[in-house]
């Protein structure tokens, strides 16, 4: 049995599995395949020739671009041809997943998620709210990404990469995980809130990139990076305190960046300081802002 809203527009040539739930004002274009136990929220749009595999849940007003696959089979299915183990996918409201993207099973994604084209997310990955992932990026299995994280194009996250809230990762950054390749010992790399990793940097396994640090373009990071430090070179070395970097158009400090930048951030209406003051104690503790370090805001 299906539950399909009368206001839904399901074109000819769409294939529906069992127990499919389609909400109000949903559009599903021709050539799309929707397998068993799929739920599609109100106002969602599924473009041509996409595949939503078993146990996928799409939030309200989400957009799934043409030729995308949501809930792709894991290696287990490829070997056994059996789908007896449930690998659900849950994608929050207002997602924009552009064409030719592939999201595997066992993935949870929050609200406001966006991708470019040809993005791949592997299984056992969890992503928070308002995260964007640029075109041709590859997120391997068992990764964790917080809220308001920005990954630009061609970023590679190896297995067990952990990215906290409000992190910027620019184009062609690579996170590795094997300290003695090839081996079975994979190490977690952890990026803490407000860190910035510039274009083309390579992060070696097991590194801690601490809060408010800056990794320069092309750096090869072989050791953990302290808070507020700028590192550059191959191997990367500390060159200065990030708070001593001046803005190009004023004599004020450019960092921490949260005091100068607010587009798309939760403090966009009132500025970071006023927003931070209103946070509950738990939120303040996680962000761990040291108010004694403000420099020339």
């Amino acid at each position: 049995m299906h539950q399909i809203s009368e206001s839904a527009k399901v074109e000819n040539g769409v294939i529906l599995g069992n127990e499919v739930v389609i909400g109000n004002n949903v559009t599903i274009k021709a050539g799309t395949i929707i397998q068993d136990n799929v739920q599609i929220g109100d106002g969602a749009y599924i473009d041509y020739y996409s595949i939503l595999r078993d146990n996928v849940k799409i939030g309200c007003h989400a957009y799934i671009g043409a030729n995308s696959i949501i809930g792709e089979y894991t290696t287990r299915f490829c070997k056994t041809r059996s789908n007896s183990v449930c690998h659900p996918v849950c994608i929050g409201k207002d997602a924009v997943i552009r064409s030719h993207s592939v999201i595997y099973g066992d993935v949870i994604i929050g609200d406001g998620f966006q991708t470019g084209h040809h993005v791949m997310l592997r299984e056992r990955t969890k992503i928070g709210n308002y995260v964007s992932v640029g075109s041709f990026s590859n997120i391997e299995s068992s990764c964790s990404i917080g809220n308001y994280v920005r990954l630009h194009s061609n970023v590679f996250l190896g297995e067990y990469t952990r990215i906290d809230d409000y992190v910027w990762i620019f184009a062609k950054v690579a996170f590795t995980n094997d300290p003695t390749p090839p081996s079975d010992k994979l190490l977690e790399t952890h990026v803490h809130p407000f860190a910035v990793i510039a274009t083309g940097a390579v992060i070696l396994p097991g590194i801690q990139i601490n809060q408010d640090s800056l990794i320069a373009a092309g750096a090869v990071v072989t050791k953990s990076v302290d808070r507020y430090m700028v590192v550059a070179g191959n191997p990367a070395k500390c060159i200065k305190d990030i708070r001593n970097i001046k803005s190009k158009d004023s004599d004020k400090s450019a960092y921490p960046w949260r005091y100068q930048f607010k587009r798309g951030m939760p403090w966009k209406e009132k500025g970071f300081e006023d927003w931070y003051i209103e946070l509950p104690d738990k939120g303040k503790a996680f962000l761990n802002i040291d108010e004694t370090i403000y420099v020339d805001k």
Side-chain angles (χ1 to χ4, degrees):
M1 291 290 293
H2 304 310
Q3 298 179 41
I4 303 177
S5 167
E6 291 183 357
S7 60
K9 300 176 182 178
V10 180
E11 292 190 353
N12 293 332
V14 172
I15 298 174
L16 298 179
N18 298 314
E19 304 296 333
V20 174
V21 178
I22 300 176
N24 296 316
N25 300 309
V26 169
T27 298
I28 304 177
K29 305 300 285 186
T32 294
I33 299 172
I34 298 177
Q35 295 184 302
D36 299 346
N37 301 309
V38 170
Q39 299 179 42
I40 303 176
D42 295 345
Y45 187 103
I46 315 298
D47 209 352
Y48 295 100
Y49 299 101
S50 290
I51 300 175
L52 277 59
R53 299 207 185 279
D54 296 348
N55 306 302
V56 167
K57 183 176 181 180
I58 304 294
C60 295
H61 306 291
Y63 170 85
I64 309 297
N67 295 287
S68 293
I69 303 176
I70 311 299
E72 177 62 302
Y73 296 130
T74 64
T75 302
R76 178 188 178 94
F77 178 88
C78 297
K79 290 181 176 180
T80 66
R81 306 296 196 272
S82 170
N83 208 23
S84 59
V85 178
C86 180
H87 297 287
V89 174
C90 183
I91 298 175
K93 64 182 181 180
D94 299 318
V96 177
I97 297 173
R98 292 183 172 85
S99 63
H100 299 277
S101 292
V102 178
I103 298 176
Y104 277 64
D106 284 334
V107 171
I108 298 174
I109 299 173
D111 296 339
F113 178 67
Q114 291 198 45
T115 76
H117 303 279
H118 297 272
V119 168
M120 187 178 75
L121 279 72
R122 291 296 299 267
E123 62 271 20
R124 298 186 301 279
T125 289
K126 185 174 182 180
I127 297 176
N129 297 321
Y130 303 103
V131 171
S132 65
V133 180
S135 296
F136 298 98
S137 290
N138 184 351
I139 298 174
E140 290 292 331
S141 65
S142 305
C143 289
S144 173
I145 300 175
N147 303 300
Y148 293 93
V149 174
R150 302 288 183 264
L151 280 69
H152 287 221
S153 297
N154 291 283
V155 169
F156 174 82
L157 302 187
E159 288 181 83
Y160 307 112
T161 301
R162 177 181 170 189
I163 310 292
D164 286 344
D165 298 353
Y166 310 111
V167 169
W168 290 81
I169 301 175
F170 288 87
K172 299 182 180 179
V173 170
F175 285 80
T176 62
N177 56 21
D178 189 343
T180 55
S183 76
D184 295 323
K185 182 178 182 179
L186 304 181
L187 301 180
E188 176 188 273
T189 298
H190 184 186
V191 183
H192 294 258
F194 302 109
V196 178
I197 304 177
T199 299
V202 177
I203 314 301
L204 267 62
I207 297 296
Q208 295 276 331
I209 297 177
N210 280 293
Q211 187 162 332
D212 283 304
S213 58
L214 171 61
I215 311 302
V220 178
V221 183
T222 62
K223 298 180 180 179
S224 293
V225 180
D226 290 338
R227 190 173 184 177
Y228 307 120
M229 293 295 103
V230 181
V231 300
N234 179 9
K237 296 180 180 179
C238 178
I239 59 173
K240 65 170 64 179
D241 188 308
I242 196 172
R243 294 162 292 182
N244 294 326
I245 298 177
K246 300 297 183 181
S247 174
K248 296 295 185 181
D249 56 3
S250 74
D251 196 39
K252 292 185 177 181
S253 294
Y255 297 95
W257 62 264
R258 54 186 169 269
Y259 300 109
Q260 288 75 38
F261 185 91
K262 56 185 180 181
R263 174 168 46 85
M265 295 294 152
W267 56 85
K268 62 183 179 181
E269 301 298 333
K270 58 182 64 177
F272 179 79
E273 289 174 284
D274 291 340
W275 172 83
Y276 179 76
I277 288 170
E278 296 176 1
L279 283 181
D281 289 343
K282 184 177 180 180
K284 288 188 174 80
F286 174 75
L287 294 181
N288 191 26
I289 302 298
D290 181 356
E291 297 192 13
T292 66
I293 58 83
Y294 296 166
V295 178
D296 295 333
K297 298 190 298 292

